[in-house]
């Protein structure tokens, strides 16, 4: 019975979002700041640090416009310098072989998300890899910090990308930093390579970020009435356009009542 | 979970006529049943690799609602809709969306009803775990499927226009998410075919 009902109505999708690890880790706080390391050098990647910083705003916007997720990414500007971030090895905290392969040259654990350019070829494996992201600081099962490194080796192809592609790459890497893995859906930002044009998140991305950072609103606070809804960045909600909505409703009713009056059939009174 | 919802829904459908006749529902004008197609985040999601945006989706929805007259052409319309489970095949992620809605309706013409109200949009994702090898750079890496049950709950501002003919109606119902936060604002919609079951 259940099977028949499901077959009647159930729709299927071919692709699914994935997560970075088997325990579905996400940042412990749903408000995460994205920084550019103040000492980084991105000459090979074809940009100044100021240009790199200017990409953060548009990149985080992809993830900030999902209403079913409470994730809030903030542009933090420049961070203080992180040890070994420009030339060091990027390792996950549990990856002992990686850590042992570069004694004293492992990028230090960070808080929030730090972006830098890094010229150590071992981190990328291939010149066609544009960037790599590793959450390298955990608090229990929650992410405390992640590092995004942009390929700054002599063979990098990052400098060949258009500005919008660079934004897309950073947004994709931020997706890894917040806990998402790849998907096979070409429409999704978390597809493993850049696509012709990237304007919004795909359905998989939206669902993935909603799974990791689900929006939870007190149902008693309908339309913010009980003060239970705050803006996603924690600030108080802006004044709701109640009077415009009310005026539009009254105007609409008046208009239809007028139409009804005009359409009323005329009656002749008998003399 | 799914079985419980099915049982609840089926018992709603069968008990609706009896409920309508009961004294407590003496003000009830009619009960209605919805069948529709739901589209999530109109123009808010990318649909293909060339930047095209999603305008229509295929997601069947069913629902049940009540018409409680208030005054002359005005009525109150609480309703419950269920966007049928969407299964993401390989991963076994099942996504259910439930809508708990409350509309005020106004009938300016005998064949036209305008609705304005609010609703709670409840998107539930049920993951069953597992892993997948995905392309990553020039090689492949192992990524993981979700293994928990999680829900997103949103308030929406809802507006709809309904064209009625005899006991049937066609309705375009919209739901605005994050009304007061421009950056997150999104619009979803459902096209409904509705049957109004008149109380005897």
């Amino acid at each position: 019975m259940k099977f028949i009902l499901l077959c009647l109505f159930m729709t299927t999708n071919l692709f699914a979002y994935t997560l970075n690890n088997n325990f579905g880790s996400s940042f412990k706080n749903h408000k995460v700041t994205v920084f550019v390391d103040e000492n980084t050098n991105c000459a090979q990647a074809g940009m100044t640090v100021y240009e790199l910083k200017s990409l953060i705003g548009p990149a985080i916007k992809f993830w900030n416009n999902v209403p079913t997720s409470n994730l809030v990414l903030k542009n933090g500007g420049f961070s203080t310098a992180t040890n070994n971030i420009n030339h060091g090895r990027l390792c996950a905290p549990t990856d002992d072989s990686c850590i042992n392969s570069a004694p004293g040259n492992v990028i230090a654990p960070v808080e929030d998300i730090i972006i830098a350019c890094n010229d150590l070829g071992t981190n990328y494996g291939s010149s066609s890899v544009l960037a790599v992201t590793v959450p390298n600081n955990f608090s229990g099962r929650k992410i405390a910090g992640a590092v995004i490194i942009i390929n700054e080796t002599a063979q990098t192809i990052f400098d060949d990308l258009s500005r919008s592609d660079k934004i897309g790459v950073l947004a994709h890497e931020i997706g890894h930093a917040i806990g998402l893995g790849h998907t096979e859906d070409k429409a999704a930002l978390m597809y493993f390579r850049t696509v012709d044009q990237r304007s919004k998140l795909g359905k998989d991305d939206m669902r993935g970020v909603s799974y990791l950072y689900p929006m939870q609103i007190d149902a008693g606070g309908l339309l913010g009435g009980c003060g239970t809804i705050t803006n996603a960045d924690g600030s108080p909600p802006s004044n709701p356009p109640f009077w415009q909505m009310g005026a539009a409703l009254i105007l609409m009713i008046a208009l239809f009542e007028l139409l009804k009056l005009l359409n009323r059939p005329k009656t002749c009174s008998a003399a | 979970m799914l079985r419980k919802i099915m049982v609840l829904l089926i018992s709603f459908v069968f008990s609706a006529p009896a409920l309508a006749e009961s004294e407590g529902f003496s003000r009830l004008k009619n009960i209605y049943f919805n069948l529709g197609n739901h589209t999530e985040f109109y123009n808010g999601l990318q649909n293909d690799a060339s930047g095209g945006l999603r305008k229509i989706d295929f997601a069947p929805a069913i629902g049940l609602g009540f018409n409680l007259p208030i005054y002359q052409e005005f009525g109150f319309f609480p309703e419950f809709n269920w966007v049928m489970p969407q299964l993401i095949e390989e991963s076994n992620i099942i996504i259910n969306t439930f809508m708990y809605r409350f509309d005020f309706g106004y009938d300016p013409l005998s064949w036209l009803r305008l609705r304005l109200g609010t609703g709670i949009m409840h998107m539930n994702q049920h993951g069953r775990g597992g892993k997948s090898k995905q392309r990553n750079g020039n090689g492949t890496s192992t990524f993981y499927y979700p293994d928990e049950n999680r829900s997103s709950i949103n308030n929406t501002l809802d507006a709809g226009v309904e064209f009625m003919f005899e006991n049937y109606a066609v309705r375009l119902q919209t739901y605005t998410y994050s009304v007061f936060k421009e950056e997150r604002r999104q619009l979803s919609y459902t096209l409904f075919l509705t049957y109004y079951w008149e109380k005897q």
Side-chain angles (χ1 to χ4, degrees):
Chain A
M1 177 66 175
K2 181 178 165 185
F3 178 75
I4 294 167
L5 282 169
L6 287 180
C7 290
L8 273 175
F9 291 106
M10 189 176 254
T11 55
T12 57
N13 295 340
L14 288 176
F15 307 116
Y17 63 88
T18 60
L19 308 174
N20 258 345
N21 49 55
N22 60 353
F23 48 91
S25 65
S26 55
F27 268 91
K28 58 184 175 184
N29 188 339
H30 69 97
K31 292 173 189 168
V32 182
T33 310
V34 182
F35 297 97
V36 169
D37 189 273
E38 67 170 2
N39 276 356
T40 198
N41 174 7
C42 299
Q44 296 286 355
M47 57 187 173
T48 65
V49 285
Y50 296 101
E51 285 174 296
L52 174 59
K53 184 170 152 267
S54 76
L55 303 177
I56 294 180
I60 62 176
K61 204 175 170 185
F62 278 96
W63 297 106
N64 277 341
N65 69 7
V66 181
T68 47
S69 160
N70 69 358
L71 176 70
V72 180
L73 294 173
K74 289 187 208 168
N75 185 346
F78 291 112
S79 72
T80 52
T82 305
N83 282 346
N84 302 322
I85 202 158
N86 292 317
H87 315 289
R89 186 91 158 95
L90 181 56
C91 299
T94 51
D95 188 351
D96 291 335
S97 64
C98 175
I99 293 167
N100 295 334
S101 71
N105 193 30
V106 173
I107 296 173
V110 298
E111 295 287 329
D112 288 296
I113 298 172
I114 309 283
I115 303 174
C117 293
N118 176 293
D119 61 8
L120 183 66
T122 330
N123 284 320
Y124 309 102
S126 157
S127 60
S128 65
V129 174
L130 297 162
V132 170
T133 301
V134 174
N136 72 345
N137 187 8
F138 282 82
S139 169
R141 291 186 143 205
K142 291 287 182 182
I143 303 170
V147 173
I148 297 172
I149 50 171
I150 295 167
N151 192 335
E152 173 69 2
T153 59
Q155 299 79 30
T156 185
I157 55 169
F158 193 88
D159 56 333
D160 296 334
L161 300 179
S162 65
R163 180 177 161 82
S164 62
D165 280 346
K166 286 176 183 171
I167 290 167
V169 169
L170 276 189
H172 174 100
E173 296 305 324
I174 289 170
H176 285 312
I178 60 176
L180 288 171
H182 282 167
T183 168
E184 288 179 28
D185 182 6
K186 282 185 180 174
L189 178 63
M190 295 314 291
Y191 186 58
F192 83 106
R193 59 186 299 181
T194 56
V195 293
D196 296 342
Q197 200 173 338
R198 171 61 54 196
S199 54
K200 304 265 186 186
L201 292 183
K203 201 172 187 176
D204 267 3
D205 307 315
M206 180 273 287
R207 285 177 170 165
V209 72
S210 301
Y211 176 83
L212 287 173
Y213 305 88
M215 175 62 85
Q216 296 289 333
I217 290 179
D218 182 353
L222 293 179
L223 294 176
C226 300
T228 49
I229 297 179
T230 55
N231 283 334
D233 58 5
S235 61
S238 55
N239 286 333
F242 279 137
W243 73 268
Q244 289 101 324
M245 285 155 56
L249 187 67
I250 290 166
L251 197 68
M252 197 170 69
I253 292 170
L255 190 70
F256 275 103
E257 288 298 330
L258 187 68
L259 273 172
K260 273 170 70 179
L261 271 179
L262 291 175
N263 287 333
R264 185 176 289 173
K266 286 176 184 164
T267 52
C268 298
S269 56
Chain B
M1 168 82 172
L2 193 63
R3 183 173 293 176
K4 281 178 189 167
I5 292 163
M6 291 254 191
V7 168
L8 191 70
L9 200 78
I10 290 165
S11 49
F12 248 131
V13 170
F14 284 109
S15 63
L19 196 66
E21 294 299 334
S22 69
E23 208 163 293
F25 278 74
S26 58
R27 282 183 59 81
L28 188 72
K29 191 176 173 190
N30 42 34
I31 292 172
Y32 58 92
F33 303 95
N34 296 324
L35 182 65
N37 184 54
H38 183 66
T39 298
E40 209 169 16
F41 301 167
Y42 174 81
N43 264 355
L45 296 171
Q46 187 154 331
N47 209 27
D48 53 47
S50 54
L53 300 179
R54 187 174 292 261
K55 297 189 189 305
I56 191 160
D57 212 344
F58 176 68
I62 56 172
L64 172 78
F66 302 95
N67 175 358
L68 297 159
I70 299 174
Y71 174 71
Q72 291 184 355
E73 296 92 355
F74 296 90
F76 180 57
F77 298 83
E79 75 174 15
F80 168 76
N81 295 310
W82 176 22
V83 180
M84 301 305 290
Q86 295 170 68
L87 172 71
I88 304 178
E89 271 178 348
E90 188 192 352
S91 65
N92 276 330
I93 302 170
I94 295 179
I95 297 166
N96 280 290
T97 305
F98 307 103
M99 305 174 197
Y100 315 97
R101 304 192 49 260
F102 308 93
D103 278 344
F104 287 99
Y106 168 62
D107 302 352
L109 301 167
S110 60
W111 50 269
L112 183 65
R113 175 168 294 149
L114 304 171
R115 288 168 175 251
L116 189 66
T118 185
I120 295 160
M121 206 59 89
H122 175 185
M123 180 176 75
N124 176 264
Q125 301 196 65
H126 180 73
R128 296 177 188 176
K131 54 190 174 183
S132 163
K133 274 212 182 300
Q134 304 264 344
R135 284 177 285 182
N136 190 12
N138 288 339
T140 58
S141 296
T142 301
F143 294 99
Y144 299 87
Y145 292 124
D147 61 355
E148 286 180 26
N149 195 54
R150 294 186 187 175
S151 292
S152 296
I153 297 168
N154 287 78
N155 267 147
T156 54
L157 177 67
D158 305 345
V161 58
E162 191 168 7
F163 302 95
M164 295 177 287
F165 45 96
E166 296 181 353
N167 284 352
Y168 291 90
V170 174
R171 171 160 46 122
L172 172 67
Q173 183 70 50
T174 64
Y175 323 93
T176 309
Y177 288 74
S178 300
V179 179
F180 309 126
K181 185 76 180 173
E182 192 177 352
E183 193 176 38
R184 284 177 189 258
R185 195 175 300 146
Q186 297 275 7
L187 183 89
S188 297
Y189 72 89
T190 314
L191 278 171
F192 280 122
L193 175 67
T194 300
Y195 173 73
Y196 282 89
W197 184 80
E198 287 283 349
K199 226 173 104 173
Q200 297 302 310

